[in-house]
Short mmCIF file of all heavy atoms in Angstrom, two decimals:
data_model
loop_
_atom_site.label_atom_id
_atom_site.label_comp_id
_atom_site.label_asym_id
_atom_site.label_seq_id
_atom_site.Cartn_x
_atom_site.Cartn_y
_atom_site.Cartn_z
N SER A 709 141.21 121.43 152.08
CA SER A 709 141.31 121.12 153.44
C SER A 709 140.06 121.42 154.29
O SER A 709 139.65 120.70 155.11
CB SER A 709 142.56 121.71 153.97
OG SER A 709 142.36 123.17 154.06
N GLY A 710 139.46 122.55 153.79
CA GLY A 710 138.24 123.07 154.65
C GLY A 710 137.03 122.06 154.31
O GLY A 710 136.39 121.64 155.26
N GLU A 711 136.98 121.63 153.06
CA GLU A 711 135.91 120.65 152.62
C GLU A 711 136.20 119.36 153.36
O GLU A 711 135.18 118.67 153.76
CB GLU A 711 135.84 120.53 151.19
CG GLU A 711 135.22 121.70 150.43
CD GLU A 711 135.22 121.57 148.90
OE1 GLU A 711 135.65 120.53 148.58
OE2 GLU A 711 134.75 122.46 148.27
N HIS A 712 137.39 118.84 153.34
CA HIS A 712 137.73 117.63 153.97
C HIS A 712 137.40 117.68 155.49
O HIS A 712 136.86 116.79 156.04
CB HIS A 712 139.24 117.41 153.75
CG HIS A 712 139.65 116.08 154.42
ND1 HIS A 712 139.13 114.79 153.87
CD2 HIS A 712 140.52 115.80 155.56
CE1 HIS A 712 139.66 113.90 154.74
NE2 HIS A 712 140.45 114.41 155.66
N SER A 713 137.77 118.80 156.06
CA SER A 713 137.41 118.90 157.54
C SER A 713 135.97 118.88 157.79
O SER A 713 135.46 118.36 158.68
CB SER A 713 138.09 120.06 158.13
OG SER A 713 137.71 121.35 157.57
N ALA A 714 135.20 119.66 156.96
CA ALA A 714 133.75 119.77 157.09
C ALA A 714 133.14 118.42 156.93
O ALA A 714 132.21 118.07 157.60
CB ALA A 714 133.18 120.77 156.07
N GLY A 715 133.62 117.65 155.90
CA GLY A 715 133.00 116.32 155.62
C GLY A 715 133.34 115.45 156.76
O GLY A 715 132.48 114.54 157.23
N SER A 716 134.49 115.50 157.40
CA SER A 716 134.79 114.63 158.43
C SER A 716 133.95 115.00 159.64
O SER A 716 133.49 114.17 160.46
CB SER A 716 136.29 114.77 158.81
OG SER A 716 136.51 116.15 159.26
N ARG A 717 133.60 116.50 159.76
CA ARG A 717 132.81 116.73 160.91
C ARG A 717 131.31 116.26 160.66
O ARG A 717 130.69 115.71 161.63
CB ARG A 717 132.80 118.36 161.01
CG ARG A 717 134.06 118.94 161.62
CD ARG A 717 133.77 120.31 162.03
NE ARG A 717 133.39 121.14 160.96
CZ ARG A 717 134.23 121.83 160.11
NH1 ARG A 717 135.63 121.77 160.30
NH2 ARG A 717 133.76 122.59 159.11
N ASN A 718 130.82 116.44 159.51
CA ASN A 718 129.47 115.85 159.20
C ASN A 718 129.44 114.28 159.33
O ASN A 718 128.44 113.71 159.90
CB ASN A 718 129.07 116.03 157.68
CG ASN A 718 128.90 117.62 157.50
OD1 ASN A 718 128.50 118.31 158.38
ND2 ASN A 718 128.99 117.98 156.23
N THR A 719 130.46 113.46 158.92
CA THR A 719 130.53 112.07 159.19
C THR A 719 130.44 111.86 160.64
O THR A 719 129.83 110.85 161.08
CB THR A 719 131.72 111.55 158.57
OG1 THR A 719 131.82 111.87 157.22
CG2 THR A 719 131.79 110.02 158.70
N ALA A 720 131.19 112.63 161.46
CA ALA A 720 131.22 112.37 162.81
C ALA A 720 129.88 112.73 163.48
O ALA A 720 129.30 111.98 164.39
CB ALA A 720 132.24 113.23 163.52
N GLN A 721 129.17 113.77 163.00
CA GLN A 721 127.85 114.04 163.41
C GLN A 721 126.94 112.92 163.02
O GLN A 721 126.05 112.55 163.93
CB GLN A 721 127.34 115.38 162.86
CG GLN A 721 128.14 116.60 163.42
CD GLN A 721 127.68 117.80 162.75
OE1 GLN A 721 126.74 117.79 161.99
NE2 GLN A 721 128.32 118.99 163.20
N VAL A 722 126.78 112.35 161.90
CA VAL A 722 125.99 111.25 161.44
C VAL A 722 126.30 110.12 162.33
O VAL A 722 125.31 109.41 162.68
CB VAL A 722 126.14 111.06 159.92
CG1 VAL A 722 125.41 109.78 159.65
CG2 VAL A 722 125.68 112.23 159.11
N GLU A 723 127.68 109.82 162.54
CA GLU A 723 127.87 108.62 163.30
C GLU A 723 127.39 108.64 164.74
O GLU A 723 126.98 107.67 165.33
CB GLU A 723 129.43 108.34 163.18
CG GLU A 723 129.79 107.86 161.87
CD GLU A 723 131.34 107.73 161.81
OE1 GLU A 723 132.02 108.07 162.70
OE2 GLU A 723 131.76 107.11 160.79
N THR A 724 127.56 109.86 165.29
CA THR A 724 127.15 110.08 166.73
C THR A 724 125.64 110.45 166.78
O THR A 724 125.13 110.69 167.98
CB THR A 724 128.01 111.10 167.33
OG1 THR A 724 127.88 112.36 166.62
CG2 THR A 724 129.34 110.60 167.27
N ASN A 725 124.98 110.70 165.73
CA ASN A 725 123.58 111.18 165.81
C ASN A 725 122.59 109.95 166.23
O ASN A 725 122.55 108.99 165.62
CB ASN A 725 123.02 111.62 164.40
CG ASN A 725 121.66 112.26 164.50
OD1 ASN A 725 121.08 112.26 165.54
ND2 ASN A 725 121.17 112.83 163.37
N PRO A 726 121.90 110.04 167.39
CA PRO A 726 121.15 108.97 167.82
C PRO A 726 119.91 108.67 166.91
O PRO A 726 119.32 107.60 167.14
CB PRO A 726 120.68 109.43 169.28
CG PRO A 726 120.69 110.91 169.20
CD PRO A 726 121.87 111.23 168.28
N PHE A 727 119.47 109.58 166.06
CA PHE A 727 118.31 109.36 165.22
C PHE A 727 118.70 108.93 163.86
O PHE A 727 117.90 108.62 163.06
CB PHE A 727 117.62 110.79 164.95
CG PHE A 727 117.03 111.24 166.25
CD1 PHE A 727 117.82 112.33 166.93
CD2 PHE A 727 115.87 110.90 166.85
CE1 PHE A 727 117.20 112.88 168.06
CE2 PHE A 727 115.41 111.35 167.89
CZ PHE A 727 116.02 112.43 168.59
N ALA A 728 120.01 108.60 163.68
CA ALA A 728 120.45 108.05 162.39
C ALA A 728 119.96 106.63 162.16
O ALA A 728 119.51 106.24 161.07
CB ALA A 728 122.03 108.00 162.23
N ALA A 729 119.86 105.80 163.18
CA ALA A 729 119.37 104.32 163.05
C ALA A 729 117.93 104.53 162.70
O ALA A 729 117.44 103.57 162.08
CB ALA A 729 119.69 103.72 164.37
N PHE A 730 117.25 105.39 163.31
CA PHE A 730 115.82 105.52 163.07
C PHE A 730 115.42 105.84 161.68
O PHE A 730 114.58 105.32 160.91
CB PHE A 730 115.07 106.66 163.95
CG PHE A 730 113.64 106.87 163.60
CD1 PHE A 730 112.62 106.00 164.09
CD2 PHE A 730 113.37 108.02 162.89
CE1 PHE A 730 111.41 106.30 163.72
CE2 PHE A 730 111.97 108.27 162.48
CZ PHE A 730 111.02 107.37 162.97
N ALA A 731 116.32 106.78 160.99
CA ALA A 731 116.16 107.20 159.59
C ALA A 731 116.62 106.19 158.57
O ALA A 731 115.90 105.99 157.61
CB ALA A 731 116.85 108.49 159.38
N PHE A 732 117.58 105.35 158.87
CA PHE A 732 118.16 104.46 157.88
C PHE A 732 117.91 103.00 158.21
O PHE A 732 118.25 102.27 157.36
CB PHE A 732 119.72 104.78 157.78
CG PHE A 732 119.95 106.01 157.14
CD1 PHE A 732 120.26 107.09 157.98
CD2 PHE A 732 120.10 106.30 155.88
CE1 PHE A 732 120.56 108.34 157.44
CE2 PHE A 732 120.26 107.46 155.24
CZ PHE A 732 120.59 108.58 156.05
N ASP A 733 117.29 102.68 159.31
CA ASP A 733 117.26 101.32 159.70
C ASP A 733 115.86 100.91 160.27
O ASP A 733 115.53 100.70 161.36
CB ASP A 733 118.22 100.99 160.60
CG ASP A 733 118.29 99.34 160.80
OD1 ASP A 733 117.70 98.67 159.93
OD2 ASP A 733 119.03 98.80 161.82
N LEU A 734 114.69 101.14 159.37
CA LEU A 734 113.50 100.86 159.73
C LEU A 734 112.97 99.52 159.17
O LEU A 734 111.79 99.11 159.44
CB LEU A 734 112.43 101.82 159.07
CG LEU A 734 112.62 103.31 159.76
CD1 LEU A 734 111.61 104.27 159.01
CD2 LEU A 734 112.36 103.39 161.27
N GLY A 735 113.80 98.73 158.67
CA GLY A 735 113.35 97.40 158.25
C GLY A 735 113.45 97.37 156.74
O GLY A 735 113.31 98.35 156.00
N ALA A 736 113.43 96.15 156.23
CA ALA A 736 113.58 95.95 154.71
C ALA A 736 112.31 96.43 153.99
O ALA A 736 112.38 96.95 152.86
CB ALA A 736 113.81 94.53 154.43
N GLU A 737 111.16 96.23 154.67
CA GLU A 737 109.85 96.66 153.93
C GLU A 737 109.45 98.02 154.22
O GLU A 737 108.77 98.59 153.39
CB GLU A 737 108.81 95.59 154.31
CG GLU A 737 109.15 94.16 153.99
CD GLU A 737 109.16 93.99 152.52
OE1 GLU A 737 108.52 94.81 151.75
OE2 GLU A 737 109.92 93.02 151.96
N SER A 738 109.68 98.52 155.44
CA SER A 738 109.00 99.88 155.74
C SER A 738 109.97 101.06 155.76
O SER A 738 109.52 102.15 156.03
CB SER A 738 108.44 99.63 157.25
OG SER A 738 109.56 99.35 158.04
N SER A 739 111.22 100.82 155.45
CA SER A 739 112.21 102.00 155.65
C SER A 739 111.89 102.86 154.35
O SER A 739 111.82 102.44 153.20
CB SER A 739 113.67 101.38 155.38
OG SER A 739 114.62 102.43 155.45
N TYR A 740 111.89 104.11 154.61
CA TYR A 740 111.89 105.22 153.65
C TYR A 740 113.24 105.47 152.87
O TYR A 740 113.18 106.04 151.83
CB TYR A 740 111.30 106.51 154.25
CG TYR A 740 109.80 106.51 154.71
CD1 TYR A 740 109.58 105.99 155.95
CD2 TYR A 740 108.91 106.83 153.72
CE1 TYR A 740 108.31 105.89 156.36
CE2 TYR A 740 107.60 106.76 154.21
CZ TYR A 740 107.22 106.34 155.48
OH TYR A 740 105.90 106.26 155.84
N PHE A 741 114.24 105.10 153.50
CA PHE A 741 115.59 105.29 152.93
C PHE A 741 116.30 104.01 152.87
O PHE A 741 116.22 103.19 153.73
CB PHE A 741 116.45 106.24 153.82
CG PHE A 741 115.69 107.58 154.17
CD1 PHE A 741 114.87 107.73 155.26
CD2 PHE A 741 115.82 108.63 153.14
CE1 PHE A 741 114.18 108.92 155.49
CE2 PHE A 741 115.17 109.77 153.45
CZ PHE A 741 114.43 109.95 154.54
#
Side-chain angles (χ1 to χ4, degrees):
S709 63
E711 290 178 356
H712 179 70
S713 61
S716 62
R717 286 195 299 272
N718 291 334
T719 303
Q721 290 177 0
V722 171
E723 291 177 352
T724 58
N725 188 355
F727 298 101
F730 173 79
F732 292 96
D733 191 13
L734 290 179
E737 297 296 332
S738 61
S739 178
Y740 288 88
F741 304 96

